[in-house]
Amino acid sequence: MRRSNRWPGTPRLVAESTLRNVRQVLQSYADAGLFTAFSSSSCTRTEGNWAIAWGYLPRATLTVDAAAHELTLLHILPQISSRSTMGKSYRMFLKDLSARSRPRHRRVDASKVKLVCRSMPGGLALRCRMMDGDFEYATRAFINVVQESIYEFLLDGPYYEYRITILGLDPDRAIAL
Amino acid sequence: MAYDNPDPALSDDPAARPTRRDFLATVVPAAAAVALGTHESHATDAKRTVPSIQIPKDLISSMSAPEHLGSFTEKGGITGAELFAQQCKDENLAALFCAPGNYNVINALAEAGIPCYGGRGEGPMAHAADGFSRVTGEVVACSGTEGPGLTLMVPAIATAHAANTPLLVLASNMNISADDSQSFIQSLNQQALTTGIKKYGKRLTAPNRIHEYGAYAFRHLKSGVPGPVHLDFPSEVAQARFKDPSGLTDYYDKSKYRSESRAIPNPKDVARAVEMIAKAERPLLIAGHGVFYRKAWDPLLRAAEKHEFAVVGSGPMRGHFPDDHRLSASLSPSALLSVDLVVFVGQYLMPTRSDYRLNPDAKAIRVHPVGEELGRNWPLDLGVVGDEAAFLEALADGLPAKKRDTWVAELAGARAKYSSLLDGYHTQALTYARSTGAVHPSIIGHEVHRFFYSGEPGTPDPKQTVASWGGFTCLQFVPPMLRANRPGQGIVSLYQLGMISSEMPHALGAAVAVKRGVGPQAPYKGAPVLAIATDAGIGFCLMELDTAMKYKIPLIVVVYNNNCWGTFIVASDSPRAEHMYLFQENLRYDKAAEALGCRGEYVRTAEELREALKRSYELASRESLPSLINVQGIKEFSMAGKYPPGANILPGPGIGAISH
């Protein structure tokens, strides 16, 4: 079921409702076993923070700022800046996710969400902004983008040494923790 | 024992048997341009009158000797070892791979007519047994002596355990009367040593219960989820004599002590599965080793083609769904992220969602013969207890015919994308080869694919050649170029345990199965078998080339020689540690193979490799002659910074995956 933030009510109430619903969607992924760990921390009425373990990400922080209509995964690529070669490749990868050549079910609808990767202290963060208030679409798209980032970008790309030296994965595995 | 070996090289007539020198005189001149140096070295041998390497005449006579086991009525009666061998024969034990030791038992198994192979080390021979089972699905045995022999088999038992191989591990184990006395040598608490790497084990301590415990062993080997079974034989049991069966416990026929009955899935569960699959837009069935061991590939194919769902194989063997089928997702990794329903069938080792490349929104069904497994690691939308073959038969009957053109087209598109990626690696590799004078592993993948799987004129049937592979360095370049287009055509040697060194002995065991035409190998009886090994792995098992030559097993071993352990890049930040990862450079494994009576070739270009594969195949086909092709690379090819894309480990499921 999709909802719009153009419901009657104050922006604050809408944001609170959005946060609750994003939480439900995230919880459904946790229940499906996508995350190996999932716990909320320091939530306000319009902002939520979750510590998650997901694939090679042992302690990722997912932040939802419902008032700003944004979901952010800090350090999707630790110790990488957006201007580095890897960072540029990742930006291209994100751009391609909206390409019309992709199957419809794998295509990110750029009219509904905007994907941005941004250099932050400690590495590259992935941010997803809801353009039309469709929180469910945005949350699911965000989760899928991270999954694509792990398996299509990071594991298929020439980043084995990065996974060992920066992510600290076991050289004999180097797929997931 | 009747041994099916039409090879003239194993003739009883010594004059008819070609010697190593005869072979070189007739064959090697054609290969001399490869700069093997073979001529020179053998000319030198001739001056010194060094005797030729020969297959012993005694081997020929031994393998054609008549079967003979004792009996209750024979003078002296029947021994415990013979009783056990008789039971193994009744249970159709497919083969024994061993190094001498556990003498009473292995001699009795040979006398019973069970195909037996003796090699140079218990460890690699136990791997060979595992390889035999991985391409046939049959129960197979390995054996070793007392403490040391069993200890040497432990890595192979652990490998087989990780792969759920129905491996019967046999070992002698001193005397019951000397238990706990620390007497003499080789005493060992064997069962403790195999704890955690077996399905069932027992030290046989009551001679009159030997048949009863044989029944325990075969119940475990042939029922439920397979796994190794370890029996250790004290001398009092192996050498006990029986003059009538009345002193034996539970001396029943196998039809009485175990059952072939299987759990039929609940029809309501099947109906629910049918409903979910029919409702899905992009369903995927992951066919694990349970599908192979239950020989359920035909109902799987029938169900997939009727309803057009995608299939990807998983597990320690490949081919139970053909790679060359339009519904195969094995070579379409990027399409896996589109899947909206995944059905696990016969997936004995369950991944977590992080282990597998699948869509986060995909629903999940798991079918497993044991209820306790359902829900492990992967939350399910439907769990079904039941036999894999019965479930797939029910699915094939219950699913409506359906066309999924869009999904099939997406699979094809993803396949083309992956193929393009691999072609890109190869193009890159050719430039590296030109600048370094060494072979990049992508070139091995490409040349092996071209010869064995392309179907080009003058090359083998793409469904024919069984291949095993191992080693880290080649992972993203060679396995994706191998094909398993029919059941039992591929072995994933690294599967789950990540054991290095098993690829060549796995291929040796598989080649025995092919040579004997066992199970799915029957149409390809006698065809050469391929092993893709690395210099690190071959160091553990090179001597088994003697075993291959001794039995005239047509094995082609390609060794990627990059002068180091594959993980040497781990030392890139530890200059003082790097030496531990390095070997001498340019080692001549080919010469070592020649010294063991096999062929050896040393190659440094794609063209040389192409010709070497062709020659090796022809001689393996025509003369059952094993070859080792030493492919010279350099360690730097694993470094993405210098030679992208460097090394990689591929996530499952699909071709090149090494876990789950």
Side-chain angles (χ1 to χ4, degrees):
Chain A
M1 181 174 62
R2 292 181 182 173
R3 292 176 182 168
S4 162
N5 67 347
R6 289 184 284 274
W7 298 342
T10 66
R12 183 181 178 85
L13 288 175
V14 170
E16 288 174 12
S17 167
T18 296
L19 184 61
R20 277 196 302 276
N21 291 316
V22 169
R23 181 185 291 126
Q24 281 179 10
V25 176
L26 291 175
Q27 185 64 52
S28 72
Y29 282 109
D31 293 344
L34 185 64
F35 313 133
T36 46
F38 178 71
S39 60
S40 70
S41 60
S42 65
C43 290
T44 67
R45 297 178 78 166
T46 61
E47 186 174 319
N49 292 287
W50 286 269
I52 58 173
W54 181 358
Y56 69 90
L57 300 166
R59 290 174 299 278
T61 302
L62 196 158
T63 300
V64 177
D65 184 339
H69 294 189
E70 283 181 349
L71 295 92
T72 303
L73 187 71
L74 296 176
H75 307 157
I76 188 162
L77 295 178
Q79 296 188 35
I80 296 296
S81 75
S82 65
R83 290 183 180 178
S84 66
T85 305
M86 189 173 179
K88 286 176 185 168
S89 296
Y90 187 56
R91 288 213 311 263
M92 283 301 299
F93 173 81
L94 292 179
K95 188 178 173 191
D96 286 348
L97 292 178
S98 300
R100 295 191 65 81
S101 56
R102 291 176 66 81
R104 194 184 178 99
H105 51 271
R106 293 273 291 281
R107 195 185 311 153
V108 174
D109 186 341
S111 70
K112 295 178 78 63
V113 296
K114 184 177 181 186
L115 297 171
V116 179
C117 65
R118 178 166 296 172
S119 293
M120 304 271 283
L124 211 58
L126 174 66
R127 181 165 291 167
C128 171
R129 176 168 291 170
M130 305 177 216
M131 305 299 286
D132 65 353
D134 188 342
F135 69 88
E136 179 161 358
Y137 176 85
T139 309
R140 293 194 182 283
F142 185 69
I143 292 294
N144 276 272
V145 167
V146 176
Q147 186 86 338
E148 300 252 4
S149 301
I150 294 171
Y151 289 100
E152 295 282 282
F153 178 77
L154 194 65
L155 294 187
D156 275 355
Y159 305 121
Y160 177 74
E161 284 155 277
Y162 172 81
R163 298 192 323 249
I164 296 168
T165 56
I166 304 300
L167 301 180
L169 302 189
D170 181 340
D172 291 338
R173 300 186 66 196
I175 293 174
L177 291 173
Chain B
M1 178 172 69
Y3 180 72
D4 176 21
N5 196 334
D7 198 321
L10 291 182
S11 165
D12 273 337
D13 176 5
R17 275 182 280 139
T19 65
R20 172 70 179 154
R21 193 177 312 285
D22 295 333
F23 162 71
L24 289 168
T26 56
V27 175
V28 168
V34 190
L36 297 177
T38 320
H39 269 126
E40 272 185 37
S41 62
H42 282 270
T44 307
D45 285 354
K47 284 176 198 165
R48 293 177 187 164
T49 62
V50 175
S52 296
I53 299 167
Q54 290 197 38
I55 295 170
K57 183 183 178 187
D58 293 344
L59 181 135
I60 319 295
S61 56
S62 168
M63 295 186 74
S64 55
E67 298 172 18
H68 175 75
L69 268 187
S71 67
F72 290 115
T73 55
E74 206 166 285
K75 187 180 178 185
I78 187 168
T79 67
E82 288 172 322
L83 268 172
F84 179 72
Q86 186 61 58
Q87 189 173 19
C88 289
K89 184 156 193 188
D90 291 344
E91 288 281 8
N92 300 315
L93 180 69
L96 167 74
F97 294 82
C98 67
N102 193 18
Y103 310 108
N104 295 299
V105 172
I106 66 168
N107 291 357
L109 289 169
E111 292 293 345
I114 289 165
C116 295
Y117 296 85
R120 302 296 293 261
E122 288 91 341
M125 291 306 280
H127 280 309
D130 186 358
F132 184 105
S133 186
R134 290 196 200 192
V135 300
T136 62
E138 298 299 320
V139 173
V140 66
C142 61
S143 175
T145 193
E146 325 281 342
L150 188 276
T151 305
L152 288 166
M153 287 194 286
V154 164
I157 301 168
T159 304
H161 178 257
N164 295 101
T165 303
L167 177 67
L168 177 57
V169 180
L170 307 170
S172 50
N173 198 1
M174 307 305 290
N175 314 311
I176 302 165
S177 59
D179 271 0
D180 306 319
S181 69
Q182 301 178 338
S183 69
F184 198 47
I185 59 171
Q186 302 197 334
S187 179
L188 181 75
N189 181 355
Q190 291 191 8
Q191 294 298 327
L193 196 60
T194 54
T195 298
I197 54 171
K198 66 190 167 195
K199 183 180 179 188
Y200 172 76
K202 181 69 182 172
R203 172 163 171 76
L204 305 178
T205 53
N208 67 328
R209 299 180 71 184
I210 187 163
H211 186 83
E212 180 189 347
Y213 279 110
Y216 269 86
F218 283 103
R219 268 199 299 277
H220 281 282
L221 288 163
K222 296 198 168 187
S223 309
V225 176
V229 167
H230 169 202
L231 298 180
D232 68 87
F233 288 80
S235 63
E236 290 93 334
V237 174
Q239 295 173 6
R241 290 194 171 271
F242 303 91
K243 293 197 171 181
D244 68 78
S246 63
L248 293 163
T249 57
D250 295 356
Y251 190 65
Y252 313 133
D253 175 76
K254 66 182 179 189
S255 65
K256 303 283 196 304
Y257 65 67
R258 65 179 183 83
S259 172
E260 296 286 351
S261 178
R262 306 288 171 186
I264 302 299
N266 186 326
K268 284 184 183 172
D269 292 338
V270 175
R272 176 74 182 126
V274 164
E275 183 188 346
M276 289 174 71
I277 296 169
K279 193 176 168 186
E281 292 183 29
R282 295 171 298 280
L284 170 77
L285 190 145
I286 300 183
H289 30 333
V291 173
F292 179 73
Y293 279 116
R294 292 295 297 125
K295 298 179 170 54
W297 45 78
D298 286 339
L300 170 61
L301 188 63
R302 190 160 64 91
E305 289 184 337
K306 183 178 179 187
H307 196 68
E308 293 205 332
F309 56 75
V311 182
V312 62
S314 69
M317 70 291 292
R318 302 199 66 254
H320 32 289
F321 193 81
D323 285 339
D324 59 0
H325 197 283
R326 69 194 173 89
L327 293 168
S328 169
S330 290
L331 291 153
S332 310
S334 63
L336 298 175
L337 283 163
S338 292
V339 165
D340 60 355
L341 172 71
V342 58
V343 185
F344 295 98
V345 181
Q347 179 88 25
Y348 289 156
L349 296 171
M350 202 60 190
T352 64
R353 288 196 87 123
S354 294
D355 292 316
Y356 265 9
R357 177 205 303 258
L358 286 179
N359 188 289
D361 293 307
K363 295 188 181 311
I365 299 172
R366 187 180 180 197
V367 182
H368 198 274
V370 182
E372 294 91 314
E373 274 292 312
L374 296 174
R376 178 169 175 164
N377 289 351
W378 197 301
L380 300 176
D381 295 282
L382 176 65
V384 182
V385 176
D387 175 69
E388 296 91 341
F391 175 80
L392 289 169
E393 290 282 4
L395 207 58
D397 292 341
L399 280 169
K402 187 165 183 170
K403 289 285 176 197
R404 296 180 190 270
D405 295 339
T406 310
W407 182 214
V408 173
E410 186 176 343
L411 290 170
R415 203 175 296 126
K417 180 182 169 186
Y418 192 50
S419 176
S420 169
L421 178 77
L422 297 171
D423 285 347
Y425 291 161
H426 181 241
T427 303
Q428 227 170 0
L430 290 174
T431 65
Y432 298 159
R434 280 193 288 274
S435 64
T436 62
V439 179
H440 185 277
S442 176
I443 290 173
I444 298 179
H446 186 83
E447 293 301 331
V448 164
H449 180 89
R450 180 176 176 166
F451 188 79
F452 290 101
Y453 308 107
S454 70
E456 288 177 9
T459 63
D461 175 357
K463 290 187 187 303
Q464 175 191 283
T465 308
V466 173
S468 70
W469 55 269
F472 167 78
T473 318
C474 300
L475 258 181
Q476 71 169 333
F477 304 108
V478 179
M481 300 302 290
L482 304 178
R483 293 292 176 270
N485 297 323
R486 48 96 178 170
Q489 201 184 350
I491 295 177
V492 183
S493 289
L494 286 172
Y495 181 75
Q496 201 65 21
L497 191 67
M499 176 63 70
I500 196 162
S501 81
S502 58
E503 56 271 19
M504 194 278 259
H506 277 162
L508 175 66
V512 168
V514 176
K515 182 160 184 157
R516 303 189 71 86
V518 178
Q521 307 306 333
Y524 310 98
K525 189 171 181 176
V529 166
L530 178 68
I532 308 286
T534 61
D535 48 356
I538 203 73
F540 292 80
C541 56
L542 192 62
M543 285 303 293
E544 297 309 335
L545 285 176
D546 169 42
T547 311
M549 186 64 201
K550 165 179 136 178
Y551 289 113
K552 299 298 292 289
I553 307 295
L555 192 61
I556 301 167
V557 184
V558 175
V559 176
Y560 184 59
N561 178 4
N562 69 340
N563 307 318
C564 66
W565 290 97
T567 54
F568 94 100
I569 53 174
V570 178
S572 58
D573 290 337
S574 307
R576 277 186 62 81
E578 188 176 350
H579 66 93
M580 295 187 287
Y581 295 75
L582 305 178
F583 307 148
Q584 293 184 81
E585 297 192 344
N586 311 317
L587 285 173
R588 298 300 299 272
Y589 303 101
D590 50 310
K591 295 286 188 190
E594 287 180 1
L596 292 168
C598 301
R599 293 181 66 250
E601 300 223 21
Y602 181 70
V603 303
R604 290 190 296 179
T605 67
E607 293 75 21
E608 287 177 0
L609 175 57
R610 191 175 306 159
E611 292 304 312
L613 286 170
K614 189 177 174 191
R615 277 191 297 273
S616 300
Y617 179 80
E618 285 171 359
L619 287 163
S621 300
R622 203 170 59 227
E623 302 181 27
S624 296
L625 201 58
S627 293
L628 184 149
I629 304 172
N630 182 1
V631 185
Q632 189 64 59
I634 54 173
K635 63 183 185 305
E636 288 79 6
F637 285 154
S638 296
M639 303 171 79
K642 285 187 180 175
Y643 297 99
N648 204 356
I649 293 178
L650 306 174
I655 203 160
I658 55 174
S659 62
H660 303 104

